[in-house]
Amino acid sequence: RPLSPGTWATELQGALPEGCYPVGGSLLNAPLDRYLSQGFVGISLLFASVTLLLLALALRAWRPWLLVTFCLALSYAALLGLMSWLDLRWNAFTLPALLLSLGTGSDYFIHLILRLQKGESTAASRAALGPALVVCAGSSILGFGSLLTASSAGLASMGLVCAAALALNLACALLVLPWLWDRTARQEQG
């Protein structure tokens, strides 16, 4: 029987056996969104908790851990604001992109904070690590940014979210974290 225009995707899905999903473009988005949204919050909380625990083990002190955690939270708050400003909707690709960029972007903070913990000044740490972090983040941003040309809206949104998240993580690592480190060090000294 012929499928009606405008409702053909729903009719096609209804005609398939349970567990079968049509693939391609918009046909796949709705089932993926439903499937991923069911467990995403739990998985995200688990992943974030494990990441913060690993950070605590690596940094072995409360002050650096709190500073890195604050910077991560700040960069993700800025990302959420950017997504809202761009009217970018959550989908099956943007949700995992947040987790991907958390794991990748937290490295920028770790490298810098470990040098600061060893007593190196913020200016020297930034001068030594800044170029390497910019190249590392830049290549990742370009790689994820290339997904903006994808014909799939989901992949394009994933590229935008990852690229923006990594750029914000880099900015926080090179600008906010050193400033916070100096500020809290001055308050501790009196």
Side-chain angles (χ1 to χ4, degrees), residues 54-177:
L54 291 173
L55 276 172
L57 292 173
L59 300 175
R60 297 184 182 144
W62 282 104
R63 178 176 163 239
W65 182 82
L66 286 172
L67 293 177
V68 169
T69 301
F70 177 78
C71 287
L72 282 168
L74 179 66
S75 66
Y76 282 100
L79 177 67
L80 294 176
L82 179 65
M83 288 176 68
S84 176
W85 182 65
L86 294 174
D87 198 30
L88 186 58
R89 305 279 181 228
W90 294 104
N91 61 47
F93 292 92
T94 54
L95 292 173
L98 291 176
L99 298 178
L100 181 64
S101 57
L102 172 66
T104 307
S106 61
D107 288 348
Y108 311 150
F109 298 106
I110 292 169
H111 288 296
L112 189 62
I113 203 85
L114 288 176
R115 287 184 86 113
L116 294 171
Q117 278 185 299
K118 291 179 181 175
E120 195 171 295
S121 73
T122 54
S125 296
R126 200 177 341 189
L129 285 177
L133 292 180
V134 168
V135 168
C136 179
S139 64
S140 296
I141 290 166
L142 286 174
F144 283 118
S146 70
L147 291 176
L148 289 169
T149 63
S151 59
S152 165
L155 277 177
S157 64
M158 178 186 182
L160 178 61
V161 168
C162 280
L166 293 174
L168 290 166
N169 282 338
L170 178 67
C172 280
L174 292 178
L175 302 173
V176 177
L177 183 60

Side-chain angles (χ1 to χ4, degrees), residues 1-15 27:
R1 100 182 139 97
L3 298 173
S4 308
T7 61
W8 64 273
T10 306
E11 289 180 36
L12 178 61
Q13 181 62 45
L27 292 176

Side-chain angles (χ1 to χ4, degrees), residues 19-32:
C20 291
Y21 298 101
V23 293
S26 62
L27 292 176
L28 195 56
N29 288 342
L32 263 179

